[in-house]
Amino acid sequence: MSDDGGFLSSQSSRELTEDDHEKLAKQTSISDFKRNKLEIDARKNWDKFYHRNKNNFFKDRNWSAEDLKMMCPDIDFEKEISYLEAGCGVGNMLFPLVAEIPNLKLFAFDFSDNAVKLLEERAKELELSVATSVVDLSIPSVSSPFEEQVDLATLIFVLSAIHPEKHQISAENVRKMIKIGGSVVVRDYGINDHAMIRFGREARISDRFYVRQDGTRAYYFDLNELSEVFEKSGFRCVRKEYLHRMTVNHQKGLKAPRIFVQARFIRES
């Protein structure tokens, strides 16, 4: 296991404790009716989330430039690069990134209208040009919503919000937005993450797929499973890892082992 920018990087997730197993055993599944309703209302629930929280919920990802350069050492970020924040939310990845790498040509989409509007407002305030679109990755599409394909895309905690049966469709849609030879960098929730263990009763939709109290959903990935999804869609995996971090709540004296998956894929066909 190696230290990687504040995270420990490895090829395996963590071993569950006896307490973890007991908590998982107490989790119960939601009804078929609620399961179907969550799928139907997925866009509405994220729209409500952004209407309620505006720009205030997620912090800007100020680690993004450093991490991208580490994940993509062969890319010359001094040159103009077309960059897409896929599932952009309010642009918590995009805005810190362009502040550090000003040569980026910016593209962004989300399936929440409210999120895209908030991003556009911030871009206007900062006098940044960003091509935007409202896109649902889980619906098959024949082409990219943008006039050109990009050199680099990121999917940061995006796929986990989509039903696992639609991950393959999502990867194929992303592929259409990236040039052959271009890259997509993915970071998302990993199997055995503390957040997965702490879900209570009537929160489990299916294996490793849960609903939060606000109706948004979260899936927890196995690293090889994530890689297979993109490889089936014409990508080659050049790096994949579990990221481990222990978060500490000093006030409550609690430690939470967080587990994420991270990978880089290059479009080959």
Side-chain angles (χ1 to χ4, degrees):
M1 191 178 280
S2 63
D3 191 355
D4 192 356
F7 290 94
L8 289 174
S9 169
S10 80
Q11 291 302 302
S12 60
S13 185
R14 73 180 180 96
E15 294 291 324
L16 293 177
T17 66
E18 188 175 329
D19 183 56
D20 291 332
H21 283 294
E22 288 177 3
K23 287 177 180 176
L24 284 173
K26 291 177 182 177
Q27 293 177 350
T28 57
S29 298
I30 62 173
S31 66
D32 288 342
F33 174 81
K34 187 175 180 181
R35 188 178 291 115
N36 293 333
K37 189 169 183 354
L38 285 169
E39 184 66 20
I40 293 167
D41 291 344
R43 185 194 296 267
K44 184 196 297 183
N45 287 331
W46 277 108
D47 264 334
K48 286 180 180 177
F49 174 91
Y50 286 112
H51 178 74
R52 182 171 61 251
N53 294 296
K54 307 298 182 186
N55 289 318
N56 303 318
F57 190 84
F58 297 115
K59 295 178 181 178
D60 278 352
R61 298 185 171 113
N62 294 311
W63 45 262
S64 55
E66 181 183 338
D67 277 35
L68 269 188
K69 289 175 180 178
M70 178 195 68
M71 294 289 289
C72 308
D74 52 311
I75 294 179
D76 184 356
F77 286 97
E78 297 298 317
K79 296 180 179 178
E80 183 181 83
I81 294 168
S82 51
Y83 162 70
L84 166 66
E85 186 176 8
C88 58
V90 297
N92 295 118
M93 180 89 172
L94 181 146
F95 292 112
L97 196 59
V98 75
E100 295 290 327
I101 309 174
N103 294 327
L104 296 176
K105 187 176 182 181
L106 301 172
F107 299 80
F109 74 79
D110 200 272
F111 87 147
S112 165
D113 291 272
N114 287 335
V116 172
K117 287 173 186 174
L118 288 164
L119 182 146
E120 289 171 342
E121 289 170 7
R122 186 173 174 187
K124 188 175 181 181
E125 289 172 6
L126 296 172
E127 297 182 342
L128 284 174
S129 175
V130 185
T132 60
S133 185
V134 176
V135 176
D136 185 345
L137 275 182
S138 69
I139 298 174
S141 67
V142 294
S143 62
S144 170
F146 303 106
E147 292 182 358
E148 63 180 272
Q149 294 171 315
V150 301
D151 300 300
L152 175 65
T154 55
L155 275 167
I156 310 298
F157 301 106
V158 174
L159 287 178
S160 54
I162 297 172
H163 197 292
E165 291 179 359
K166 297 181 177 179
H167 288 165
Q168 197 66 55
I169 294 169
S170 301
E172 288 163 8
N173 286 336
V174 170
R175 174 183 164 275
K176 298 179 179 77
M177 304 178 200
I178 299 172
K179 298 174 183 175
I180 291 179
S183 296
V184 56
V185 172
V186 181
R187 183 181 285 187
D188 223 314
Y189 301 111
I191 184 173
N192 296 346
D193 179 41
H194 174 74
M196 181 185 118
I197 308 301
R198 72 182 183 189
F199 278 102
R201 297 174 64 83
E202 295 188 9
R204 189 175 62 216
I205 301 170
S206 59
D207 183 37
R208 290 181 280 124
F209 193 35
Y210 296 85
V211 59
R212 303 183 184 96
Q213 288 186 337
D214 63 3
T216 63
R217 301 172 297 176
Y219 184 76
Y220 294 83
F221 281 93
D222 172 87
L223 189 59
N224 291 328
E225 166 192 47
L226 176 67
S227 182
E228 287 172 9
V229 166
F230 281 88
E231 287 169 346
K232 285 180 181 177
S233 297
F235 289 90
R236 173 169 53 92
C237 181
V238 294
R239 177 170 178 157
K240 62 180 179 179
E241 61 206 316
Y242 286 100
L243 299 177
H244 300 247
R245 172 176 279 173
M246 187 69 71
T247 60
V248 181
N249 185 325
H250 294 285
Q251 193 173 11
K252 295 182 178 180
L254 298 175
K255 292 183 178 181
R258 302 306 311 272
I259 310 291
F260 307 106
V261 287
Q262 181 167 273
R264 179 189 174 192
F265 304 99
I266 295 177
R267 181 183 170 188
E268 289 198 312
S269 61

